[in-house]
Amino acid sequence: TRRAELLPERVVLSTVSPPAVIERDGNKQLAVGFVPAHELANLPGIDDLSLFDRNVRLSEGRTRINRELAETIERREEHALFPAFHNGLTMLTYGLTVGRHELCLDGITVVNGCQSLLTLREHRAAITNDLRILVKVAQVARHSDLADKITYRSNNQNPVDIRDQRSTD
């Protein structure tokens, strides 16, 4: 099965502090940083869903998690600590350049965090400068096994329901 290509757009995301970078053989392989939510809510391909072509959970719909995420976005007093209770986004790119306070991506897709981005987009009027999202960006080659591995592993969690959450009460 052939996976969808990444969107060809070049995107520059600012980070609130210098990104953490993992290099291998002199090439940047992975960068992690906190990105202002308003930048993410305006990424290309959200409205037509093309940004999520590789995302395996696109059709989750309006779940309890989405409703709770929307409530958190609307509660501005929680924005500063948002990364403490949100797992962030996982993105793939064909070209990764890291600056002191920015991530430059040549080609882009979101493989984990689709529901979060859709909810951010829908509630973007409530986003403050304090709302930041943890973003992991992995550089991959076209048609690479690494892209498939990241997509699979970042979406392969055991489901947790309310009963599980309350089991230690």
Side-chain angles (χ1 to χ4, degrees):
T1 304
R2 186 173 160 165
R3 292 269 191 193
E5 291 291 322
L6 280 56
L7 287 181
E9 275 78 10
R10 184 178 201 294
V11 173
V12 178
L13 299 171
S14 61
T15 59
V16 296
S17 58
V21 178
I22 296 175
E23 292 188 25
R24 189 166 62 189
D25 302 326
N27 293 316
K28 289 174 180 53
Q29 301 283 304
L30 177 71
V32 179
F34 293 103
V35 175
H38 64 86
E39 291 186 25
L40 297 169
N42 289 311
L43 284 172
I46 294 177
D47 291 332
D48 68 3
L49 304 179
S50 60
L51 181 61
F52 313 109
D53 281 350
R54 295 182 61 99
N55 194 294
V56 299
R57 289 197 267 186
L58 180 59
S59 63
E60 288 293 311
R62 297 201 181 275
T63 65
R64 173 185 54 85
I65 300 300
N66 296 95
R67 289 187 300 275
E68 290 174 1
L69 178 60
E71 290 170 10
T72 300
I73 294 168
E74 294 292 331
R75 276 189 228 115
R76 294 171 185 226
E77 67 276 7
E78 292 190 4
H79 288 188
L81 290 177
F82 190 82
F85 38 80
H86 186 270
N87 291 330
L89 305 178
T90 303
M91 304 168 92
L92 304 181
T93 187
Y94 294 137
L96 176 61
T97 306
V98 179
R100 176 143 171 78
H101 285 279
E102 68 181 17
L103 302 169
C104 301
L105 292 69
D106 286 317
I108 182 172
T109 193
V110 172
V111 297
N112 189 281
C114 169
Q115 300 301 311
S116 296
L117 268 181
L118 291 173
T119 304
L120 280 170
R121 178 70 164 212
E122 184 177 344
H123 296 270
R124 64 185 174 265
I127 294 174
T128 66
N129 290 334
D130 289 336
L131 184 53
R132 301 169 186 123
I133 310 290
L134 176 68
V135 174
K136 298 181 289 182
V137 180
Q139 179 174 291
V140 297
R142 293 180 191 274
H143 314 296
S144 75
D145 291 337
L146 179 60
D148 292 339
K149 189 180 289 187
I150 292 168
T151 300
Y152 174 77
R153 289 186 179 173
S154 66
N155 285 285
N156 195 25
Q157 303 105 7
N158 290 325
V160 177
D161 62 25
I162 289 295
R163 186 176 59 190
D164 296 326
Q165 294 280 348
R166 306 246 190 256
S167 66
T168 58
D169 287 354

